[in-house]
Amino acid sequence: LRVIQENTCKLGQNVALNGFIGLTFMLLKTKDAPALNNFAVQFLNELVKQRTEFTSDIMKIIVKMLFNESNKAPIIECFSLMVQRKSLPIDRCEEALTDLIENLTELELDTALAIESVIHNTILRSSKLRDLMTTTMRNAMYQNKPEMRKLAVYSFCAMLKKVKKPKSNEVFGMSQNLSMMSFLSQSQIPSTGEVNLRRVSVLVLEIIGLLRK
């Protein structure tokens, strides 16, 4: 397996690649086998790092496994390592991340919170994913289930921790579509000499408005 992995990743050769990837996913979801789980996590992350053309398909499978498999710990670890890479090509995995965000409230609370803790650096690089997460969590805020409201509050607080005062070229700096909640937030935050509201992200204002409400 190590020889095949070296040929597949380092030499750019597709030696038994389909079978090897299928085996790797089987090892990833194997219960009570941390060594096999770890091998699968390392291989998949090495593969998407050196062979970015496989990022989309692999991310789709991992997202599907997050919903369908019971042994979620190694799958969450694999997902976490993938999305935390600054070099992750967002355009190649946007479809999978969109599906994940849209259905995030269908996951168990612990799994959803684990995903929330690592995904925000990635979604803030995409205005589409950022807006989708904001909408999804805003809807979750008003659900009857306390778990969903807890998830929404955690998500918004985690997002606030990631967002800093934006520069003019940052994706979350200014939005072309200002929601009514954004305007409401601006009216609720007192103006001080130390804070220049023109430099504060519209996203921050909207989140604060949601949390205050």
Side-chain angles (χ1 to χ4, degrees):
L1 289 177
R2 290 296 182 186
V3 172
I4 298 176
Q5 181 185 26
E6 181 177 347
N7 287 332
T8 299
C9 293
K10 296 183 179 180
L11 302 181
Q13 297 179 2
N14 298 335
V15 180
L17 184 60
N18 290 336
F20 194 19
I21 292 179
L23 172 61
T24 304
F25 279 117
M26 183 182 296
L27 299 181
L28 182 64
K29 63 183 181 181
T30 301
K31 296 182 179 180
D32 302 320
L36 298 180
N37 299 154
N38 185 61
F39 173 84
V41 170
Q42 290 181 356
F43 170 75
L44 289 173
N45 276 277
E46 186 71 17
L47 182 62
V48 298
K49 180 180 179 181
Q50 299 192 22
R51 305 289 299 275
T52 57
E53 65 269 26
F54 298 116
T55 301
S56 176
D57 291 336
I58 290 176
M59 183 66 80
K60 287 179 182 178
I61 296 174
I62 291 176
V63 167
K64 185 176 180 179
M65 291 174 70
L66 285 171
F67 289 91
N68 297 335
E69 299 298 330
S70 58
N71 186 33
K72 287 186 169 56
I75 303 172
I76 293 173
E77 180 184 358
C78 186
F79 175 80
S80 299
L81 290 175
M82 289 183 65
V83 300
Q84 290 185 86
R85 287 195 302 106
K86 293 183 179 180
S87 59
L88 180 72
I90 300 298
D91 58 325
R92 291 185 181 272
C93 58
E94 190 175 75
E95 182 179 349
L97 292 177
T98 296
D99 184 60
L100 174 63
I101 293 171
E102 287 179 341
N103 298 285
L104 195 58
T105 57
E106 302 299 323
L107 290 170
E108 299 89 344
L109 180 60
D110 290 345
T111 301
L113 289 175
I115 293 172
E116 285 281 5
S117 67
V118 299
I119 199 174
H120 287 290
N121 277 339
T122 300
I123 65 175
L124 288 176
R125 292 161 53 193
S126 166
S127 59
K128 177 182 177 180
L129 295 177
R130 176 208 66 196
D131 292 343
L132 178 60
M133 178 66 80
T134 303
T135 300
T136 301
M137 291 300 105
R138 184 168 53 212
N139 293 336
M141 184 85 75
Y142 300 106
Q143 290 191 15
N144 293 328
K145 295 181 179 180
E147 293 82 4
M148 293 301 99
R149 298 200 297 272
K150 183 184 296 185
L151 174 63
V153 171
Y154 179 89
S155 176
F156 284 133
C157 289
M159 194 178 298
L160 282 176
K161 292 176 69 175
K162 298 296 182 182
V163 177
K164 299 178 181 179
K165 287 185 178 180
K167 299 177 182 179
S168 59
N169 61 341
E170 286 182 317
V171 67
F172 49 84
M174 291 299 294
S175 174
Q176 295 180 350
N177 298 313
L178 302 182
S179 68
M180 290 303 296
M181 184 59 69
S182 298
F183 287 117
L184 176 61
S185 303
Q186 294 181 57
S187 66
Q188 290 177 334
I189 299 177
S191 177
T192 67
E194 298 180 355
V195 180
N196 182 355
L197 289 182
R198 293 182 180 179
R199 297 188 60 216
V200 177
S201 169
V202 171
L203 174 61
V204 172
L205 300 178
E206 183 158 358
I207 292 174
I208 292 176
L210 287 165
L211 292 175
R212 285 172 62 91
K213 184 174 182 181

